[in-house]
Amino acid sequence: MIPLGLPEPTAPALTTQAPDLDYWLLSPLLVVFAVGVVGVLVEAFVDRRHRRLTQLVLALAGVGAAFVLTLLQVGSLPEQGAGVGVAFATVAVDRPTLFFQGTILVLAFISLLLIAENRDGESAFAAQAAAVPGSEEERAHVLAGSQHTEVYPLVMFAVLGMQLFPASNDFLTMFIALEVMSLPLYLLCGLARRRRLFSQEAAVKYFLLGAFSSAFFLFGIAMVYGYAGSVHFADVYAAVGAGGAGVIEDGEPLLLIGMALIGVGLLFKVGAVPFHNWKPDVYQGAPTPITALMASCTLVAAFGALLRVFYVAFGASVWEWRPMLWVVAILTMVLAAVIAVTQRDIKRLLAYSSVVHAGFVLTAVVAASADGLAGAMFYLAAYGFTTIGAFAVVTLVRAPEGGAEAGDLAQWAGLARTSPFLAGALGLFLLAFAGIPLTSGFIGKFAVFEAAVAAGATPLVVVGVLSSAVTAFFYVRIIVLMFFAEPAETAPRVLRPGGLTGTVIGVGIAATVLLGVFPGPVLDNLLPQPSAEAAVGTQPSGAGIVPEDMFVR
Amino acid sequence: MDPMNYIVLAAVLFTIGAVGVLVRRNAIIVFMCVELMLNACNLAFVAFARMHGGIEGQVIAFFVMVVAAAEVVVGLAIIMQIFRTRRSASVDDASLLKN
């Protein structure tokens, strides 16, 4: 039955040598992984009373250490070439990787502070997730002051996946990273202390849709594997250039299907229209600190992976994927902005705002140039800090009774009279989202739009600017509501920011202003500058050339 | 037999799974359909590995199985939790989150 003419499977020569792993370059990943594992052991062996503190110190120390290691690695990148492939070149360590990993670690550190916030023994998480909401069992756990300290190891595993996602240099590693990142997040979404039905529903929706999209991603990988005969990005790139691996005649459709399906999987994680439906529901239902983690870190990681897939693996078929991303970017910027105007819940509104921002970053991806890459990197970092700050403010404004967060925007009316500082902070974050000058949002938008224009995507930028105008409308509406409207009948209870939440808001404000006023040091050093003679030789390219020398190949 | 037939079979299975996710209402069935999609991917990987004469595709299939198992653990926990709360696993009943 075995057909003739097929190549016989060749078993790789058995080697007695252990694979050569560069532990130094893998150390940020290993540290976070180790802390996650130790966290699980802490759950088993440490007394209940000391667990929270132990877990928190471990997690913060782990993320902090990983960040320092990532910074140190920037100096150890080789002079020649973009970076190094580690562990059989399945993990790429280059400047974009290190930037994304560093950003993710900083944002995760800040999110951890928000996750750790504890008021009168009440965290943002359910006392006992397994207890049915409203049952006797749940009440007993609340009275006993139970806490889910498992949250911290789960966050560490999610962060591990996020670090690996933009670094993965082949599709298998990327798929594993995607799952390692997503599975803990599905669980974390369902752990909210209040409005537990919302939270559980968010978890189910996120899980089913997330699993659905990763199945698409995986089938896309299978198609690309069929076309290229390998899932390694460099091999895929070479195969695309050579027109297929030669085993399958006329394999072009396989590549196109694969590219589209992989795009679906990644655009789902990014939350671009038409794959955005999960975002408002999940952001609203999840515990707000987890929403902050997802809105910042997951977005950075997903865009890091998206950039690597389209710039490195599919770098030779820009003309195939560019139209697809054009359409998605336009749909995202237009539809999400319009839907956002009708939202009445602050978390849903921020979710749609996150969708719109994903559209803006996509314009930079479409540019397919070094400027586009740098613009996207800056935008994501700036947006991450601002969005964590905004969600931190959301955690403080509670409904008058019951202690749940006051989601309804009507309750936010006149907030500035009772708590001017909080309203001012949120006002600043919203202005940054809108892209007002002197905030990081303006510089970010300027960078991505400039890159898109340089690459000849002017219509896209026009759509983007119009969409910005629409979004500015509803951001300003909230500011007007907070500062100039009469307070609502049922004024919300505003909690005094504790040390942790206060720090988060402070860092958010500082980053938003600093990156807005002094963007130069960051923006100019994101990527190695082209040397002077090279800059003279190439005119500002209208075609948009995928930046080959920025990534490991 | 041409290995390409297996690719077609994989595509058919994948489509059945995808349609199932979209039309079925029980969260467990939806989840089973997702698993069907993952297994269709495995079939495609193994068939392509045969065509290319390498073992990479077969190795990937093992990884996918492990991931699918991990997904079952997380997925069933989440679905069980919502079932205990609502006494229903229908994805239509869970519709509190709206505009």
Side-chain angles (χ1 to χ4, degrees), chain A residues 512-527:
Chain A
T512 304
V513 174
L514 282 179
L515 289 176
V517 181
F518 307 109
V522 179
L523 204 51
D524 294 342
N525 292 311
L526 283 176
L527 294 171

Side-chain angles (χ1 to χ4, degrees), chain A residues 36-47:
Chain A
V37 172
V38 172
V40 174
L41 292 176
V42 166
E43 284 303 314
F45 294 113
V46 174
D47 187 74

Side-chain angles (χ1 to χ4, degrees), chain A residues 123-150:
Chain A
S123 63
F125 299 96
Q128 176 56 262
V132 176
S135 66
E136 272 307 317
E137 190 191 357
E138 190 196 31
R139 222 160 299 145
H141 277 289
V142 171
L143 286 176
S146 310
Q147 283 196 345
H148 270 300
T149 42
E150 293 91 339

Side-chain angles (χ1 to χ4, degrees), chain A residues 244-462:
Chain A
V247 174
I248 300 160
E249 284 178 30
D250 301 326
E252 196 74 3
L254 284 181
L255 175 69
L256 294 179
I257 296 171
M259 214 175 335
L261 292 179
I262 288 171
V264 169
L266 291 170
L267 290 170
F268 173 88
K269 282 293 155 202
V270 161
V273 177
F275 315 108
H276 69 293
N277 277 319
W278 62 277
K279 228 173 188 177
D281 286 354
V282 173
Y283 279 23
Q284 187 188 357
T288 309
I290 297 302
T291 311
L293 179 77
M294 287 194 293
S296 53
C297 299
T298 311
L299 195 74
V300 175
F303 263 112
L306 186 96
L307 284 162
R308 191 173 289 278
V309 166
F310 284 117
Y311 282 15
V312 180
F314 300 139
S317 43
V318 180
W319 300 108
E320 277 82 26
W321 56 257
R322 204 181 238 170
M324 176 176 89
L325 289 190
W326 261 73
V327 174
V328 171
I330 290 177
L331 279 178
T332 306
M333 290 189 288
V334 173
L335 284 182
V338 171
I339 302 171
V341 173
T342 65
Q343 296 305 311
R344 308 194 153 278
D345 185 282
I346 182 83
K347 279 167 88 180
R348 288 186 84 82
L349 190 134
L350 289 176
Y352 276 108
S353 141
S354 152
V355 176
V356 182
H357 285 286
F360 293 147
V361 183
L362 277 177
T363 59
V365 180
V366 166
S369 62
D371 283 346
L373 178 62
M377 284 156 73
F378 182 86
Y379 197 113
L380 289 166
Y383 174 74
F385 284 108
T386 312
T387 196
I388 291 188
F391 280 110
V393 172
V394 172
T395 60
L396 293 175
V397 182
R398 303 294 179 97
E401 281 162 29
E405 282 155 11
D408 192 352
L409 274 174
Q411 293 185 321
W412 288 62
L415 188 73
R417 310 213 176 159
T418 49
S419 22
F421 172 75
L422 210 60
L426 185 61
L428 174 71
F429 296 140
L430 293 175
L431 289 177
F433 286 151
I436 305 294
L438 292 184
T439 61
S440 57
F442 172 75
I443 308 290
K445 279 213 177 84
F446 188 80
V448 296
F449 287 162
E450 190 189 25
V453 169
T458 314
L460 209 54
V461 173
V462 173

Side-chain angles (χ1 to χ4, degrees), chain A residues 2 129-130 179 200-201 226, chain B residues 50 52 57 71 81 84-85 96:
Chain A
I2 296 175
E179 293 295 331
Q200 293 181 354
E201 184 181 318
Chain B
R50 182 78 185 90
H52 287 295
E71 216 165 58
Q81 197 194 23
R84 273 156 48 101
T85 307
L96 290 170

Side-chain angles (χ1 to χ4, degrees), chain A residues 487-550:
Chain A
E489 293 278 307
T490 53
R493 204 159 51 90
V494 180
L495 305 179
R496 217 169 56 77
L500 294 171
T501 312
T503 313
V504 174
I505 297 177
V507 171
I509 293 174
T512 304
V513 174
L514 282 179
L515 289 176
V517 181
F518 307 109
V522 179
L523 204 51
D524 294 342
N525 292 311
L526 283 176
L527 294 171
Q529 296 298 310
S531 55
E533 58 265 39
V536 173
T538 53
Q539 61 210 30
S541 67
I545 307 301
V546 171
E548 296 212 344
D549 48 348
M550 303 298 167

